[in-house]
Amino acid sequence: MNNMILTNQDLDDIINKINNSKSLDEKKDLIFHFCNNPYFINSLYYIDQYDEEYQSKINRLSEFFQRFRPSYSRKYDVKGLFRVTLEELANRLRILKMANKIVNSNESDFMKAYNLASLYKDSETLRASYSGMVKHIDHPNIQIARYALSNFDKIYNKYLEYENNGLMEKARYYLSTISYYQNYEYAKFVIEKYIEDEESYKGYEFISELGLDKDAFVFCLKTIEELDPDLYKKFREKRKYNKKVVCFKNAQTLKELSYGIQNGIMRDGTEFDLLEFIKRVPFKKEENFIDSLYYFMNNTNLHESKTILSYVYKNGLQNKKALAPINRKQIYECRNFLNGVQITNDISNIVIDYLTVNQIPVVNKTYDIAVRKYLNGEINKEMVEQKKKEMEENKPQSIILIPKTNKR
């Protein structure tokens, strides 16, 4: 071992010794002693300066340590004052080294505060991370960072200075909003699209067509709220308008469903059945479907309320389990029989695919209905595969990509 750093040969030797150990206790002892070796700490500390082969061996040794925690493993105790994994120790020291460079740099005070804020949440976090180490700076496991630790007070006092004069608060604010600035144009496009498009009342169904998910849309909205108050005001006005549109659409849908119940066919010519009802009925994703449905119809004075509610209760949809998502694991593990036929995993997959491609919620009630349709010959694999193929061919392209935000 030269210059307090493990060589590739050193790493090979210890790995071979561990692999060839004759007993578990012998292996644990090797790991325990190596775990407390200051040479290994040095190697962790400088690991980013070495090639992939070297880093791979270090990581392999770390895996050995994980297998035997907590008795020997990666943890050690310096005079009972602190316990920390070897990797975490090396990482903390690397960060402290970076903090030392920041404080001694020629950057402006704001940039120093900004860079320190990116390393430590607050001065208390900074103090707690190193207080035990500073007291035992001569311990061999931390001698690699003696210079950085000897300057700990300078770093800590500078952080406190920035906190006391309000500079750190400004730096933290900028740090928290930097993702907003970086993605402003993107967010502006999304929110303007929401405001201008007549289909935006569909909510997350609409934004999914843009290639977005809920979290990405919320991020875009927060960006505009933070950086563009005028556009955010327009968004709120459109959202208010969309709520009225949704209310009107829901009322129209319930009227159409009432017509389907009474006539066995929808006004658009679609054959009516319970699957079609569940597919179209509003509030099915609400935690309490029946209460939401009743509240809406009561407040809009729909004449069709009695027809709708009678159909709901007749088919047991008031039961929360009816519209609950199916438990796929339970379905796959069970070997249920219906009309003397075993419902295999293959049958379940065909049924689930059928519901999915026809945009019918995959819930307990629809699954049970679709299984019976399959057994009656109304659903088959060829029909489902053809529908999937058509959907793939007509699949719309995403307009935009989801933004990348800074995660701290």
Side-chain angles (χ1 to χ4, degrees):
M1 298 181 186
N2 299 316
N3 300 320
M4 295 292 289
I5 294 293
L6 294 172
T7 66
N8 267 299
Q9 185 59 52
D10 295 327
L11 296 174
D12 287 337
D13 289 343
I14 187 63
I15 289 173
N16 288 332
K17 286 181 180 179
I18 292 172
N19 286 334
N20 295 325
S21 56
K22 297 179 180 178
S23 67
L24 183 60
D25 287 338
E26 182 182 345
K27 180 176 293 188
K28 285 184 177 181
D29 285 338
L30 284 169
I31 291 173
F32 174 74
H33 291 299
F34 192 76
C35 202
N36 286 277
N37 190 331
Y39 291 85
F40 183 63
I41 305 295
N42 286 8
S43 298
L44 285 170
Y45 185 66
Y46 294 109
I47 190 171
D48 55 351
Q49 299 180 20
Y50 292 89
D51 59 28
E52 291 185 6
E53 181 183 2
Y54 186 93
Q55 293 185 28
S56 176
K57 291 175 183 178
I58 288 289
N59 290 331
R60 186 179 177 190
L61 285 166
S62 295
E63 292 176 3
F64 277 125
F65 302 152
Q66 293 180 32
R67 294 181 191 176
F68 301 107
R69 64 183 181 187
S71 58
Y72 289 92
S73 82
R74 306 154 67 196
K75 294 185 177 182
Y76 66 93
D77 194 351
V78 177
K79 299 185 179 179
L81 289 178
F82 67 92
R83 295 179 68 84
V84 67
T85 66
L86 296 179
E87 289 87 346
E88 178 60 23
L89 171 63
N91 185 54
R92 288 188 194 181
L93 296 178
R94 278 195 293 267
I95 293 174
L96 188 61
K97 185 179 179 182
M98 292 167 59
N100 195 38
K101 288 183 178 179
I102 291 169
V103 169
N104 292 317
S105 71
N106 294 322
E107 297 278 4
S108 66
D109 280 342
F110 176 78
M111 286 308 301
K112 287 181 181 180
Y114 172 80
N115 290 324
L116 287 173
S118 69
L119 297 179
Y120 305 105
K121 179 181 178 182
D122 49 43
S123 57
E124 179 58 26
T125 301
L126 170 59
R127 184 199 63 78
S129 296
Y130 303 100
S131 58
M133 297 182 194
V134 173
K135 291 180 180 179
H136 296 281
I137 197 170
D138 291 328
H139 192 281
N141 275 347
I142 56 178
Q143 62 186 351
I144 52 171
R146 181 173 293 134
Y147 177 74
L149 286 168
S150 66
N151 285 279
F152 172 78
D153 286 341
K154 180 179 179 181
I155 299 169
Y156 179 65
N157 290 333
K158 182 60 70 173
Y159 203 106
L160 281 178
E161 176 189 328
Y162 291 151
E163 279 189 334
N164 292 334
N165 64 22
L167 199 58
M168 192 60 73
E169 183 178 356
K170 293 179 181 178
R172 289 197 194 102
Y173 171 77
Y174 183 76
L175 190 66
S176 67
T177 59
I178 190 169
S179 291
Y180 296 156
Y181 287 101
Q182 291 174 341
N183 292 283
Y184 170 71
E185 293 298 329
Y186 170 91
K188 181 182 178 184
F189 166 78
V190 171
I191 301 306
E192 285 181 341
K193 183 73 174 175
Y194 177 91
I195 294 170
E196 296 166 1
D197 202 301
E198 295 180 358
E199 299 290 304
S200 62
Y201 71 88
K202 294 180 179 179
Y204 292 116
E205 179 183 341
F206 164 75
I207 66 172
S208 66
E209 295 176 0
L210 300 178
L212 292 163
D213 58 15
K214 180 179 179 180
D215 291 338
F217 182 76
V218 169
F219 169 78
C220 291
L221 185 56
K222 287 182 177 179
T223 298
I224 297 305
E225 182 180 13
E226 186 70 37
L227 303 181
D228 197 335
D230 290 338
L231 185 59
Y232 183 70
K233 182 180 179 180
K234 292 179 181 178
F235 166 81
R236 292 183 63 181
E237 291 172 352
K238 182 58 183 287
R239 182 171 60 182
K240 186 177 180 180
Y241 170 78
N242 277 349
K243 287 182 178 179
K244 294 180 180 179
V245 173
V246 170
C247 183
F248 175 77
K249 295 283 185 181
N250 285 343
Q252 289 297 109
T253 297
L254 291 171
K255 290 179 180 180
E256 290 296 314
L257 289 174
S258 177
Y259 180 90
I261 293 170
Q262 295 172 332
N263 297 280
I265 191 170
M266 306 294 290
R267 291 185 191 274
D268 62 8
T270 304
E271 183 179 347
F272 178 84
D273 60 12
L274 186 53
L275 287 180
E276 195 65 30
F277 181 86
I278 296 175
K279 176 181 178 178
R280 300 194 187 202
V281 70
F283 313 114
K284 54 182 169 286
K285 294 183 180 179
E286 297 288 339
E287 184 176 352
N288 196 323
F289 161 69
I290 191 65
D291 285 350
S292 298
L293 181 63
Y294 180 81
Y295 179 82
F296 176 81
M297 293 192 298
N298 189 50
N299 281 275
T300 51
N301 296 314
L302 282 178
H303 297 300
E304 294 79 9
S305 297
K306 185 176 180 180
T307 301
I308 295 292
L309 288 174
S310 295
Y311 189 79
V312 166
Y313 279 96
K314 177 183 177 182
N315 289 281
L317 298 184
Q318 77 281 7
N319 188 328
K320 286 186 177 182
K321 291 183 179 180
L323 297 178
I326 64 169
N327 186 328
R328 297 197 182 201
K329 181 178 179 182
Q330 187 176 24
I331 286 176
Y332 290 148
E333 289 178 351
C334 291
R335 291 293 177 264
N336 292 329
F337 286 81
L338 186 63
N339 297 334
V341 178
Q342 182 179 357
I343 310 305
T344 64
N345 290 348
D346 287 341
I347 293 176
S348 293
N349 287 332
I350 293 171
V351 164
I352 292 172
D353 284 347
Y354 169 80
L355 295 173
T356 301
V357 298
N358 285 283
Q359 300 179 338
I360 300 171
V362 184
V363 296
N364 289 324
K365 193 70 173 182
T366 59
Y367 175 81
D368 290 342
I369 296 171
V371 167
R372 286 180 167 80
K373 280 179 170 288
Y374 176 85
L375 296 180
N376 291 334
E378 299 175 57
I379 297 173
N380 57 60
K381 185 175 182 179
E382 290 71 23
M383 175 197 305
V384 174
E385 290 301 322
Q386 180 61 32
K387 184 73 173 180
K388 287 168 70 174
K389 183 179 178 181
E390 292 173 1
M391 288 184 66
E392 188 63 30
E393 291 174 350
N394 298 320
K395 184 179 179 181
Q397 295 295 317
S398 295
I399 298 177
I400 49 180
L401 298 174
I402 296 175
K404 293 182 179 179
T405 61
N406 289 340
K407 295 183 179 179
R408 297 181 61 236

